[in-house]
Amino acid sequence: MDWDDLRIFLAVARAESLSGAGKSLRIDPATVGRRIARLETTLSARLFTKTPQGYALTEEGQRLMAPARAAETAFATAQDSLHLVTEGLTGQIRIGAPDGSANYLLPQVLAQISAENPGLEIQLVALPRVFNLSKREADMAIAVSRPETGRLTVQKLSDYHLHLAASRSYLAKNPAITCLQDLKSHRIIGYIPDMIFDKELDYLGEFGGTAPEISSNSVSVQTQLMRAGAGVGMVHDFAMPFAPELAQVLPQAIALTRSFWLVRHADDAQIERLNRFAALLTTGIRRELHRLEALTLSQT
């Protein structure tokens, strides 16, 4: 048995399909199938069973997962040992993040990391949902609530703040908002209720807000709707400098605090390359959050 066979085994187990594994490994699905068949012959064991939902691990396949993950970690650690700590980061690192932070916060942070590490390929996956690190959808992810289950390491990055906002043109054309009751006569923008993937994103529910008249599963789209004068909604303070058309509404009455968490798979704790990237990411996010929120505060 060689590492390459185990690498393909892990990809199929995580993607639950030959095509998904082939896509992540950049090889033909037919080749993936042949390599899995070869591994099963070598081990004299059936590792997967095909179901309508995809490729599911058999009992033998489940038993192989732990040593395969250990081999994966050992291989990554060995690769790290070939590079001096003083050298720049290289290879590919994929980070998953909610679209708000991915649009307004991470570009500046990742641009600096990339400039300092020209051999590094960074992939930013911006999706309004929770990432599955066990399936290796990403090497690490930013979450808006602390995960309570799974073989994960979790580090708090920083608190961040949100306020109600609307475009100045919208506020000029509509009745004044001087108290919470006044919001009842205004169009509210927010998340599609049944697509709120984390309770921490239920901003309107926290202060008794009504269901939104205009909604999106993307916080960035919500911000664009407000910029277009569609109504009133919650905006990250760190996004306000990118939306000069917006003004905060009832900032003293409605102010929310949330947190960002950096989540990694526990098996990656000894991979120095990922540790160094995580440290750079943490420092950069904290610095950029402070800068943007301070700028917002100075403009209110």
Side-chain angles (χ1 to χ4, degrees), residues 183-283:
L183 291 173
K184 293 182 179 180
S185 60
H186 288 264
R187 293 191 302 275
I188 302 299
I189 297 169
Y191 279 101
I192 299 171
D194 63 356
M195 297 187 75
I196 296 177
F197 70 90
D198 193 296
K199 61 181 176 59
E200 297 294 336
L201 302 180
D202 186 14
Y203 305 137
L204 300 181
E206 183 156 327
F207 60 87
T210 60
E213 285 82 9
I214 306 178
S215 56
S216 171
N217 68 321
S218 164
V219 69
S220 301
V221 172
Q222 293 171 36
T223 302
Q224 292 299 95
L225 285 166
M226 290 173 231
R227 295 181 70 186
V232 182
M234 297 299 302
V235 178
H236 297 80
D237 284 8
F238 62 73
M240 290 291 286
F242 300 94
E245 304 90 345
L246 300 184
Q248 290 184 348
V249 175
L250 302 177
Q252 303 305 315
I254 301 175
L256 304 184
T257 300
R258 294 290 191 267
S259 302
F260 282 133
W261 303 85
L262 183 63
V263 185
R264 297 175 56 191
H265 198 284
D267 290 344
D268 294 343
Q270 302 304 315
I271 301 178
E272 183 62 22
R273 184 173 65 96
L274 294 181
N275 292 340
R276 290 170 60 195
F277 180 84
L280 292 173
L281 187 69
T282 299
T283 300

Side-chain angles (χ1 to χ4, degrees), residues 85-245:
V85 174
T86 54
E87 291 180 352
L89 295 173
T90 59
Q92 180 189 98
I93 294 179
R94 176 179 292 182
I95 177 170
D99 68 323
S101 61
N103 275 279
Y104 301 114
L105 183 60
L106 287 174
Q108 305 87 269
V109 176
L110 297 182
Q112 181 171 347
I113 294 175
S114 180
E116 295 171 351
N117 298 273
L120 180 64
E121 178 189 346
I122 303 173
Q123 296 182 347
L124 175 57
V125 183
L127 290 176
R129 63 169 176 82
V130 176
F131 284 81
N132 190 328
L133 296 184
S134 294
K135 291 188 175 182
R136 298 299 180 177
E137 292 182 337
D139 294 299
M140 59 189 70
I142 294 175
V144 293
S145 64
R146 185 187 183 101
E148 301 297 334
T149 59
R151 296 189 67 256
L152 305 170
T153 59
V154 184
Q155 173 191 0
K156 184 176 180 179
L157 290 173
S158 179
D159 289 334
Y160 61 96
H161 305 89
L162 305 99
H163 289 84
L164 274 179
S167 71
R168 290 179 172 80
S169 61
Y170 174 88
L171 294 173
K173 296 174 184 177
N174 290 276
I177 305 174
T178 59
C179 64
L180 286 174
Q181 286 295 109
D182 292 339
L183 291 173
K184 293 182 179 180
S185 60
H186 288 264
R187 293 191 302 275
I188 302 299
I189 297 169
Y191 279 101
I192 299 171
D194 63 356
M195 297 187 75
I196 296 177
F197 70 90
D198 193 296
K199 61 181 176 59
E200 297 294 336
L201 302 180
D202 186 14
Y203 305 137
L204 300 181
E206 183 156 327
F207 60 87
T210 60
E213 285 82 9
I214 306 178
S215 56
S216 171
N217 68 321
S218 164
V219 69
S220 301
V221 172
Q222 293 171 36
T223 302
Q224 292 299 95
L225 285 166
M226 290 173 231
R227 295 181 70 186
V232 182
M234 297 299 302
V235 178
H236 297 80
D237 284 8
F238 62 73
M240 290 291 286
F242 300 94
E245 304 90 345

Side-chain angles (χ1 to χ4, degrees), residues 27-68:
I27 60 179
D28 185 83
T31 301
V32 174
R34 288 193 296 271
R35 297 294 290 277
I36 291 297
R38 186 178 79 174
L39 181 59
E40 290 179 328
T41 298
T42 300
L43 298 176
S44 298
R46 189 178 182 188
L47 303 175
F48 295 96
T49 182
K50 196 168 187 315
T51 72
Q53 289 74 40
Y55 279 71
L57 287 167
T58 62
E59 185 176 344
E60 291 86 351
Q62 291 282 2
R63 287 201 297 268
L64 184 58
M65 282 297 291

